[in-house]
Amino acid sequence: MTDQTSKLDSLPARDADAALASAGGDADLARELLDVLLAGLPEEIEELRACIAEADWIALAEHAHQVRGATRYCGVPALDEAIEALERTARRGDTALVSDDFAAVESQASRLVEALGA
């Protein structure tokens, strides 16, 4: 287990209070935002994987940034932190760290799905 993995695993997979705050106290909106994130997550991960396969760090950074736009408001702190780290690494073009950070995104996405029983 890397330090990054330990750090991410110490964050909650889901923070319902943060999600509710991001949705302005509207529980239905908070749930809808999470549902949209979860529905699109497999495709988003595949798109990130494709950028990595092509070594297209600019596209990877941009796509990670877009995904983070969703994770930021859904109360998913561990996944949000993982996707932010991937975006930063992609912007630096650090091939070795991109692989580790992408693995962390996949791990935290799986952890979120498991935590929600989805």
Side-chain angles (χ1 to χ4, degrees):
M1 182 180 293
T2 67
D3 287 342
Q4 173 73 351
T5 302
S6 296
K7 177 184 173 190
L8 293 171
D9 286 345
S10 72
L11 295 171
R14 174 82 170 126
D15 183 338
D17 291 338
L20 191 59
S22 291
D26 184 335
D28 290 336
L29 177 58
R31 184 64 207 187
E32 182 179 334
L33 291 171
L34 180 62
D35 288 346
V36 168
L37 173 69
L38 292 173
L41 205 49
E43 183 179 329
E44 299 291 4
I45 288 174
E46 286 308 312
E47 289 182 29
L48 293 168
R49 182 179 280 112
C51 292
I52 292 168
E54 295 170 12
D56 188 342
W57 307 137
I58 293 170
L60 177 62
E62 290 173 1
H63 195 72
H65 183 76
Q66 290 171 359
V67 174
R68 183 144 192 263
T71 61
R72 184 176 305 139
Y73 296 104
C74 291
V76 292
L79 180 58
D80 184 58
E81 182 72 25
I83 199 74
E84 181 182 20
L86 179 61
E87 179 187 354
R88 281 192 315 265
T89 302
R91 290 198 189 285
R92 288 194 310 266
D94 189 329
T95 306
L97 285 179
V98 161
S99 180
D100 290 345
D101 286 346
F102 178 70
V105 167
E106 288 184 304
S107 174
Q108 294 308 317
S110 293
R111 185 173 160 235
L112 174 63
V113 170
E114 288 172 15
L116 296 171

